Amino acid sequence: MNKVWDWIDKIKNEDSGFVSFLKWCYAIGKISWIHALVSAAAGILIPIFFEKNCYKSMVGAIVIAILDILYAYICNEYQKKLFISRKFTSELLEEFSSLIKSLNIFVQNETEWKSKIFRTTSEMVCEKIYSIFKEVFKCETRISVEYVFQKTIQNRNPVQHVKMAGRKSRHRSKTRKSVPLEKKRKYYSYQIFVNNNKGMNILESEKIHDPNIWYKNLENNVDVKKYIGIAVSVLDDEK
């Protein structure tokens, strides 16, 4: 069904007669009493046709009843999908407002807020996005904020490192120390940083199951369904 929903979302804003017809069908399909009448009529007519040996009419009534059930199911499922989407947006806006207020309080109370604001914001964002997905979509997620920077050790040439500024999952919420970016070569995020893939980076299930694209940690039995990486440039417009 996901492919059907994706197709509907893709065409729903088109100004065409076909799309208008689909919208009209959806509006009719949401009316529950219409489906109740169809079911009642089918329940009355099918036995009558059977007793009178009108098998063709009986089969036609059965087919109509089945199609109506499918019709009602599709409309109801799409209505639920729209509700979840609206709920997600609503929750996101509420949490965003809460985040801004919390950061305002943090800045007012913390004298050295400039050196801590990025980490604090990252931790808050991870916590709030995790909570929204848990509440709205009833699914487990791992949210993290990572960044790369040049690090010099013992007066050697600077080496590019990667560090998690925030993280939230069912297993842990704490981050580890920074590591050289090359040590993360097996992870997909490495490709995003090295190839400078700014913007949305999305991997669907089929790509995640491709070992040439996605590294699966054998110590972790989590079945990942989708990966979304949003890469932005900070301080440097080119990287």
Side-chain angles (χ1 to χ4, degrees), residues 146-161:
E146 294 180 284
Y147 65 98
V148 290
F149 63 99
Q150 299 290 338
K151 185 176 182 179
T152 303
I153 301 176
Q154 298 179 349
N155 295 324
R156 298 177 182 175
N157 292 330
V159 176
Q160 197 169 36
H161 279 59

Side-chain angles (χ1 to χ4, degrees), residues 21-31 71 74-76 78-80 82 86:
F21 174 72
L22 289 180
K23 290 180 179 178
W24 177 81
C25 291
Y26 172 64
I28 298 298
K30 292 190 299 180
I31 304 174
Y71 177 35
I74 292 173
C75 292
N76 288 334
Y78 188 67
Q79 190 173 21
K80 289 178 184 178
L82 291 178
R86 293 191 187 102

Side-chain angles (χ1 to χ4, degrees), residues 109-174:
N109 295 336
E110 180 61 55
T111 55
E112 299 181 358
W113 64 269
K114 289 184 179 180
S115 61
K116 301 178 180 179
I117 189 68
F118 180 65
R119 183 180 182 87
T120 300
T121 305
S122 299
E123 291 174 346
M124 287 184 179
V125 166
C126 291
E127 178 71 35
K128 291 183 180 299
I129 294 179
Y130 177 86
S131 299
I132 291 173
F133 272 84
K134 186 77 171 177
E135 173 68 23
V136 178
F137 297 109
K138 312 297 181 187
C139 69
E140 285 293 335
T141 56
R142 197 203 86 175
I143 313 295
S144 63
V145 177
E146 294 180 284
Y147 65 98
V148 290
F149 63 99
Q150 299 290 338
K151 185 176 182 179
T152 303
I153 301 176
Q154 298 179 349
N155 295 324
R156 298 177 182 175
N157 292 330
V159 176
Q160 197 169 36
H161 279 59
V162 60
K163 175 81 169 73
M164 272 192 186
R167 176 196 168 105
K168 176 63 179 177
S169 70
R170 181 176 58 185
H171 302 291
R172 66 183 176 93
S173 300
K174 298 297 183 180

Side-chain angles (χ1 to χ4, degrees), residues 37-69:
L37 286 177
V38 173
S39 298
I44 294 171
L45 293 174
I46 290 173
I48 293 175
F49 290 145
F50 179 76
E51 290 179 359
K52 293 185 177 183
N53 296 326
C54 298
Y55 297 120
K56 290 184 178 180
S57 299
M58 183 187 73
V59 171
I62 293 174
V63 170
I64 291 174
I66 293 173
L67 290 176
D68 182 69
I69 292 172

